[in-house]
Amino acid sequence: MSRIIGIDLGTTNTVVAFLDSGCPVIVPNAEGGRLTPSVVAFTDGGVVTGSEALRNAGVNPEETIASVKRRMGTSHRFHLRGGIYTPQEISGMILQKVAGDAGTYLGERIDKAVITVPAYFNNEQREATREAGVMAGLEVVRIINEPTAAALAYGLDKEEIHTVLVWDLGGGTFDVSILELGQGVFEVRAVSGDTRLGGDDWDQRLAGHLAGMIETETGIDPFLDKSAVPILKRIAEGAKKTLSDALLSDIDIPLGFRGEGNFAGRNVRARLSREEFEALTAPLLKRLAGPTIQALSDAGLRPIDIDRVILVGGATRMPAVRELARQMFGDSKICHDRINPDEVVAAGAAIQGGILAGEFSDLVLVDVTPLSLGIETQGGVFARIIDRNTRIPVSRNKIFTTAADDQASVSIHVLQGEKDAVSDNMSLGIFDLADIPPAPQGEPKIEVTFNIDVNGILRVSAVDLHTGNEQKIEVAPLHPSASIE
Ligand code: AMP
């Protein structure tokens, strides 16, 4: 079987790993970097990706696309240089670059990959990720959840059973997963998260603060100049990273961002302490607690039951994040030093690739569905068909019937959520099963089957058991609403 590489297609960076004698190894890109910025730029010289594209963001932000992951599975289109591009096409360009670089590095054509996605990615986002792989000439042999990949990277050499909690704070999303590792089986017990919380929000907050400072000093809101936005965010991100290691960061902001205007050549200088930065971003930090408590309660566990906490994602390097993890779980449980937090997901994806390629005969990966799924029944009541945190792949069915005599069709309204009232849950789709032969109320038997495949994609079918008539849809499980401030 040919090699299956692992790709962490991140909001900020993309990382590739392969297995070398059973151990995950990060593949450097053509520029020698271990992280490839997930950025695509349209330039006079053609389309460029990675660090070259990132450099372009400063000079030509309008034709540079960053954080495309946030648009995956949406109808968003990028209009650039006369062309119209889908998010998956842009992601495909990133994948093509990293897979091409990996091929050059390994001296062989790379055509198979395991790609990771956030645990809460819905159907469309997972499908879009798969399509991006196909556009890059890759067979996407499996899509796996990022936190699961992280636990896989850490759990491989453990013999005793561990209950592991993964905090994954990347550029754009926060995921919490609780996994049980042991005897070659990795079982996801619960997942939760906030799809609208990531390291970018810390940058944004600080950039806003810097903009306020500039306005105080100059009387001009720098955000009125569009080109100032990525520059201020980059400066903010730089300061944020500095403050992960140092207690102070000297910030130097050039004004007149394009060399125009009254302030060209002038700079605003400031000194920011870690304490000030943490005070400024404290509301963001607080949002880590809610999903964590939710995941613990879903798994029926207390913080004391957690043996290990794995910190994943570049933004977990922030000391305040680590301190919060220590406060919640205790110092001795935090494990972050052995594998780089930016690289652990790709490492786990490579291990999953190895499992699928048959390199580890004694390992199995068990994943779960994050939210309950079911259909609407009479009176607006939600009937669960698959409970949240059920292992996938899974197929479950239930028999339903008509509510009135001679009812010729039933509507199957597919929902996701934990509430008993349909109106409190999220609607995923609706379809009709028609041509039900006349019969008294309650007599027809309609079998509704929910099937979630190994990639977390849900298909729903309804069959009239009397006639064999069948209707089906593929629906998109949605993530829960962003949680808890
Ligand atoms: P990831 O998506 O895992 O690559 O995480 C990217 C996020 O981590 C971005 O918001 C980065 O700014 C952030 N990040 C990377 N390194 C550091 C650091 N040393 N301190 C704080 N945040 C960081």
Short mmCIF file of all heavy atoms in Angstrom, two decimals, residues 8 10-15 35 69 168-173 198-203 237-238 240-245 277 312-319 341-343 345, ligand 1:
data_model
loop_
_atom_site.label_atom_id
_atom_site.label_comp_id
_atom_site.label_asym_id
_atom_site.label_seq_id
_atom_site.Cartn_x
_atom_site.Cartn_y
_atom_site.Cartn_z
N ASP A 8 -2.75 18.38 8.61
CA ASP A 8 -3.55 19.25 9.46
C ASP A 8 -3.76 20.53 8.65
O ASP A 8 -2.86 21.36 8.55
CB ASP A 8 -2.78 19.53 10.76
CG ASP A 8 -3.42 20.62 11.60
OD1 ASP A 8 -4.57 21.04 11.30
OD2 ASP A 8 -2.79 21.05 12.58
N GLY A 10 -4.94 23.66 8.66
CA GLY A 10 -5.36 24.59 9.72
C GLY A 10 -5.86 25.92 9.18
O GLY A 10 -5.64 26.26 8.01
N THR A 11 -6.52 26.66 10.05
CA THR A 11 -6.99 28.00 9.68
C THR A 11 -5.80 28.90 9.39
O THR A 11 -5.80 29.66 8.43
CB THR A 11 -7.79 28.62 10.85
OG1 THR A 11 -8.79 27.70 11.24
CG2 THR A 11 -8.43 29.93 10.46
N THR A 12 -4.78 28.77 10.21
CA THR A 12 -3.61 29.64 10.10
C THR A 12 -2.48 28.96 9.34
O THR A 12 -1.89 29.53 8.43
CB THR A 12 -3.10 30.02 11.51
OG1 THR A 12 -4.22 30.19 12.36
CG2 THR A 12 -2.26 31.26 11.47
N ASN A 13 -2.19 27.73 9.75
CA ASN A 13 -1.08 27.00 9.15
C ASN A 13 -1.51 25.58 8.77
O ASN A 13 -2.41 25.03 9.39
CB ASN A 13 0.07 26.88 10.14
CG ASN A 13 0.71 28.22 10.42
OD1 ASN A 13 1.21 28.88 9.52
ND2 ASN A 13 0.68 28.64 11.68
N THR A 14 -0.80 25.05 7.79
CA THR A 14 -1.02 23.66 7.40
C THR A 14 0.27 22.90 7.70
O THR A 14 1.36 23.41 7.46
CB THR A 14 -1.40 23.60 5.92
OG1 THR A 14 -2.65 24.27 5.78
CG2 THR A 14 -1.54 22.17 5.41
N VAL A 15 0.08 21.70 8.26
CA VAL A 15 1.25 20.91 8.67
C VAL A 15 1.08 19.51 8.10
O VAL A 15 -0.02 18.95 8.09
CB VAL A 15 1.35 20.84 10.21
CG1 VAL A 15 2.66 20.20 10.64
CG2 VAL A 15 1.21 22.21 10.85
N LEU A 35 5.75 24.67 9.36
CA LEU A 35 4.37 25.13 9.23
C LEU A 35 4.26 25.90 7.91
O LEU A 35 5.10 26.75 7.63
CB LEU A 35 3.98 26.08 10.35
CG LEU A 35 4.28 25.70 11.80
CD1 LEU A 35 3.77 26.79 12.76
CD2 LEU A 35 3.61 24.38 12.15
N LYS A 69 -10.36 28.38 5.81
CA LYS A 69 -11.03 27.29 6.52
C LYS A 69 -12.37 27.73 7.11
O LYS A 69 -13.30 26.95 7.21
CB LYS A 69 -10.09 26.79 7.62
CG LYS A 69 -10.56 25.54 8.34
CD LYS A 69 -9.46 25.04 9.23
CE LYS A 69 -9.86 23.79 9.98
NZ LYS A 69 -8.72 23.27 10.76
N ASP A 168 -7.88 22.16 22.26
CA ASP A 168 -7.28 22.57 20.99
C ASP A 168 -7.71 23.99 20.68
O ASP A 168 -8.85 24.22 20.27
CB ASP A 168 -7.71 21.60 19.89
CG ASP A 168 -7.08 21.93 18.54
OD1 ASP A 168 -6.37 22.95 18.45
OD2 ASP A 168 -7.29 21.17 17.59
N LEU A 169 -6.82 24.92 20.91
CA LEU A 169 -7.11 26.32 20.59
C LEU A 169 -6.20 26.74 19.44
O LEU A 169 -5.02 26.98 19.60
CB LEU A 169 -6.87 27.20 21.83
CG LEU A 169 -7.29 28.67 21.69
CD1 LEU A 169 -8.78 28.83 21.46
CD2 LEU A 169 -6.86 29.47 22.91
N GLY A 170 -6.79 26.72 18.24
CA GLY A 170 -6.02 27.08 17.05
C GLY A 170 -6.22 28.54 16.71
O GLY A 170 -6.54 29.35 17.57
N GLY A 171 -6.05 28.86 15.42
CA GLY A 171 -6.22 30.24 15.00
C GLY A 171 -7.68 30.67 15.04
O GLY A 171 -8.00 31.80 15.37
N GLY A 172 -8.58 29.72 14.69
CA GLY A 172 -9.97 30.11 14.54
C GLY A 172 -10.99 29.35 15.36
O GLY A 172 -12.14 29.76 15.44
N THR A 173 -10.59 28.24 15.95
CA THR A 173 -11.60 27.43 16.65
C THR A 173 -11.04 26.88 17.97
O THR A 173 -9.84 26.75 18.15
CB THR A 173 -12.03 26.20 15.82
OG1 THR A 173 -10.87 25.52 15.38
CG2 THR A 173 -12.86 26.61 14.63
N GLY A 198 -10.70 31.63 18.71
CA GLY A 198 -9.36 31.15 18.37
C GLY A 198 -8.34 32.24 18.62
O GLY A 198 -8.69 33.38 18.98
N GLY A 199 -7.08 31.90 18.39
CA GLY A 199 -5.98 32.85 18.59
C GLY A 199 -6.20 34.16 17.83
O GLY A 199 -5.79 35.23 18.29
N ASP A 200 -6.88 34.07 16.68
CA ASP A 200 -7.15 35.29 15.89
C ASP A 200 -7.94 36.31 16.71
O ASP A 200 -7.78 37.52 16.52
CB ASP A 200 -8.01 34.97 14.65
CG ASP A 200 -7.30 34.05 13.67
OD1 ASP A 200 -6.10 33.78 13.88
OD2 ASP A 200 -7.95 33.59 12.72
N ASP A 201 -8.80 35.82 17.59
CA ASP A 201 -9.61 36.75 18.39
C ASP A 201 -8.73 37.54 19.36
O ASP A 201 -9.02 38.69 19.66
CB ASP A 201 -10.70 35.98 19.15
CG ASP A 201 -11.66 35.31 18.19
OD1 ASP A 201 -12.33 36.03 17.44
OD2 ASP A 201 -11.71 34.07 18.15
N TRP A 202 -7.69 36.88 19.85
CA TRP A 202 -6.75 37.60 20.73
C TRP A 202 -6.06 38.71 19.91
O TRP A 202 -5.87 39.82 20.40
CB TRP A 202 -5.73 36.63 21.33
CG TRP A 202 -6.12 35.99 22.62
CD1 TRP A 202 -5.66 36.33 23.86
CD2 TRP A 202 -7.05 34.91 22.83
NE1 TRP A 202 -6.24 35.53 24.81
CE2 TRP A 202 -7.09 34.64 24.22
CE3 TRP A 202 -7.86 34.13 21.99
CZ2 TRP A 202 -7.88 33.65 24.78
CZ3 TRP A 202 -8.65 33.14 22.54
CH2 TRP A 202 -8.67 32.91 23.92
N ASP A 203 -5.70 38.36 18.66
CA ASP A 203 -5.04 39.36 17.79
C ASP A 203 -5.98 40.53 17.53
O ASP A 203 -5.59 41.69 17.60
CB ASP A 203 -4.67 38.74 16.42
CG ASP A 203 -3.82 37.50 16.55
OD1 ASP A 203 -3.27 37.27 17.64
OD2 ASP A 203 -3.72 36.75 15.56
N GLU A 237 -0.42 40.13 16.48
CA GLU A 237 -0.07 38.71 16.63
C GLU A 237 1.38 38.57 17.08
O GLU A 237 1.69 37.73 17.94
CB GLU A 237 -0.29 37.95 15.31
CG GLU A 237 -0.12 36.46 15.53
CD GLU A 237 -0.20 35.63 14.26
OE1 GLU A 237 -0.23 36.21 13.16
OE2 GLU A 237 -0.23 34.39 14.39
N GLY A 238 2.24 39.40 16.52
CA GLY A 238 3.66 39.37 16.91
C GLY A 238 3.81 39.66 18.40
O GLY A 238 4.54 38.97 19.12
N LYS A 240 1.53 39.36 20.72
CA LYS A 240 0.92 38.24 21.48
C LYS A 240 1.93 37.11 21.64
O LYS A 240 2.10 36.57 22.74
CB LYS A 240 -0.31 37.75 20.71
CG LYS A 240 -0.92 36.47 21.26
CD LYS A 240 -2.05 35.95 20.37
CE LYS A 240 -1.52 35.24 19.13
NZ LYS A 240 -2.60 34.61 18.35
N LYS A 241 2.59 36.76 20.55
CA LYS A 241 3.56 35.65 20.61
C LYS A 241 4.75 36.01 21.50
O LYS A 241 5.22 35.19 22.29
CB LYS A 241 4.05 35.29 19.21
CG LYS A 241 2.99 34.59 18.38
CD LYS A 241 3.59 34.18 17.06
CE LYS A 241 2.58 33.48 16.19
NZ LYS A 241 3.10 33.19 14.86
N THR A 242 5.22 37.26 21.37
CA THR A 242 6.33 37.70 22.22
C THR A 242 5.96 37.54 23.69
O THR A 242 6.73 37.07 24.51
CB THR A 242 6.67 39.18 21.93
OG1 THR A 242 6.96 39.29 20.55
CG2 THR A 242 7.84 39.68 22.77
N LEU A 243 4.70 37.93 24.00
CA LEU A 243 4.26 37.90 25.41
C LEU A 243 4.04 36.47 25.92
O LEU A 243 3.83 36.28 27.12
CB LEU A 243 3.00 38.75 25.58
CG LEU A 243 3.24 40.26 25.40
CD1 LEU A 243 1.91 41.02 25.38
CD2 LEU A 243 4.15 40.81 26.51
N SER A 244 4.10 35.48 25.04
CA SER A 244 4.06 34.09 25.53
C SER A 244 5.39 33.72 26.20
O SER A 244 5.43 32.86 27.07
CB SER A 244 3.79 33.12 24.38
OG SER A 244 2.46 33.26 23.94
N ASP A 245 6.46 34.39 25.77
CA ASP A 245 7.77 34.09 26.35
C ASP A 245 8.28 35.20 27.26
O ASP A 245 9.03 34.95 28.19
CB ASP A 245 8.80 33.86 25.23
CG ASP A 245 8.42 32.69 24.37
OD1 ASP A 245 8.01 31.66 24.93
OD2 ASP A 245 8.48 32.81 23.13
N PHE A 277 -1.99 42.71 28.51
CA PHE A 277 -2.53 41.88 27.43
C PHE A 277 -3.56 40.89 27.98
O PHE A 277 -4.64 40.70 27.41
CB PHE A 277 -1.38 41.14 26.72
CG PHE A 277 -1.83 40.14 25.69
CD1 PHE A 277 -2.49 40.56 24.54
CD2 PHE A 277 -1.60 38.78 25.87
CE1 PHE A 277 -2.91 39.64 23.58
CE2 PHE A 277 -2.01 37.86 24.92
CZ PHE A 277 -2.67 38.29 23.77
N VAL A 312 -3.23 21.59 22.50
CA VAL A 312 -2.97 21.54 21.06
C VAL A 312 -3.30 22.90 20.47
O VAL A 312 -4.19 23.59 20.95
CB VAL A 312 -3.86 20.48 20.39
CG1 VAL A 312 -3.61 20.43 18.90
CG2 VAL A 312 -3.64 19.12 21.01
N GLY A 313 -2.60 23.24 19.37
CA GLY A 313 -2.89 24.52 18.72
C GLY A 313 -1.96 25.59 19.25
O GLY A 313 -1.69 25.66 20.46
N GLY A 314 -1.47 26.41 18.33
CA GLY A 314 -0.48 27.43 18.69
C GLY A 314 -0.93 28.33 19.82
O GLY A 314 -0.11 28.77 20.63
N ALA A 315 -2.23 28.59 19.89
CA ALA A 315 -2.70 29.58 20.87
C ALA A 315 -2.66 29.04 22.30
O ALA A 315 -2.78 29.81 23.26
CB ALA A 315 -4.10 30.05 20.50
N THR A 316 -2.47 27.71 22.47
CA THR A 316 -2.32 27.19 23.84
C THR A 316 -0.93 27.51 24.39
O THR A 316 -0.62 27.17 25.53
CB THR A 316 -2.56 25.67 23.93
OG1 THR A 316 -1.62 25.01 23.09
CG2 THR A 316 -3.96 25.29 23.55
N ARG A 317 -0.10 28.15 23.58
CA ARG A 317 1.21 28.58 24.11
C ARG A 317 1.05 29.79 25.02
O ARG A 317 1.99 30.15 25.74
CB ARG A 317 2.12 28.97 22.96
CG ARG A 317 2.62 27.80 22.17
CD ARG A 317 3.96 28.21 21.54
NE ARG A 317 4.66 27.05 21.05
CZ ARG A 317 4.73 26.74 19.78
NH1 ARG A 317 4.15 27.48 18.88
NH2 ARG A 317 5.40 25.67 19.41
N MET A 318 -0.10 30.44 24.95
CA MET A 318 -0.28 31.63 25.80
C MET A 318 -0.26 31.19 27.27
O MET A 318 -1.01 30.28 27.66
CB MET A 318 -1.59 32.34 25.47
CG MET A 318 -1.50 33.10 24.16
SD MET A 318 -2.96 34.10 23.84
CE MET A 318 -4.14 32.86 23.33
N PRO A 319 0.58 31.84 28.08
CA PRO A 319 0.69 31.42 29.49
C PRO A 319 -0.66 31.44 30.21
O PRO A 319 -0.92 30.57 31.05
CB PRO A 319 1.65 32.44 30.09
CG PRO A 319 2.44 32.96 28.94
CD PRO A 319 1.53 32.91 27.75
N PRO A 341 2.85 21.87 20.06
CA PRO A 341 1.38 21.98 19.92
C PRO A 341 0.91 22.28 18.51
O PRO A 341 -0.21 21.95 18.14
CB PRO A 341 1.00 23.11 20.88
CG PRO A 341 2.25 23.84 21.18
CD PRO A 341 3.37 22.85 21.02
N ASP A 342 1.77 22.88 17.70
CA ASP A 342 1.36 23.17 16.31
C ASP A 342 1.42 21.92 15.45
O ASP A 342 0.89 21.91 14.34
CB ASP A 342 2.34 24.17 15.66
CG ASP A 342 2.49 25.42 16.48
OD1 ASP A 342 1.47 25.93 16.94
OD2 ASP A 342 3.64 25.87 16.66
N GLU A 343 2.13 20.91 15.92
CA GLU A 343 2.42 19.78 15.04
C GLU A 343 1.73 18.49 15.44
O GLU A 343 1.74 17.51 14.70
CB GLU A 343 3.95 19.55 15.02
CG GLU A 343 4.67 20.75 14.48
CD GLU A 343 6.19 20.65 14.55
OE1 GLU A 343 6.70 19.69 15.17
OE2 GLU A 343 6.85 21.53 13.99
N VAL A 345 -1.37 17.58 15.79
CA VAL A 345 -2.52 17.11 15.02
C VAL A 345 -2.05 16.40 13.74
O VAL A 345 -2.53 15.31 13.41
CB VAL A 345 -3.48 18.28 14.70
CG1 VAL A 345 -4.54 17.86 13.70
CG2 VAL A 345 -4.15 18.75 16.00
P1 AMP B 1 -2.78 26.70 14.79
O1 AMP B 1 -4.09 26.90 14.05
O2 AMP B 1 -2.75 25.57 15.71
O3 AMP B 1 -1.59 26.80 13.90
O4 AMP B 1 -2.68 27.97 15.77
C1 AMP B 1 -2.47 29.21 15.26
C2 AMP B 1 -2.71 30.22 16.34
O5 AMP B 1 -1.73 30.05 17.36
C3 AMP B 1 -2.57 31.62 15.81
O6 AMP B 1 -3.58 32.44 16.38
C4 AMP B 1 -1.21 32.01 16.34
O7 AMP B 1 -1.09 33.41 16.49
C5 AMP B 1 -1.16 31.31 17.65
N1 AMP B 1 0.20 31.14 18.15
C6 AMP B 1 1.25 30.55 17.55
N2 AMP B 1 2.34 30.63 18.31
C7 AMP B 1 2.00 31.32 19.44
C8 AMP B 1 2.68 31.76 20.62
N3 AMP B 1 3.98 31.52 20.78
N4 AMP B 1 1.97 32.42 21.55
C9 AMP B 1 0.65 32.67 21.40
N5 AMP B 1 -0.05 32.30 20.31
C10 AMP B 1 0.61 31.63 19.34
#
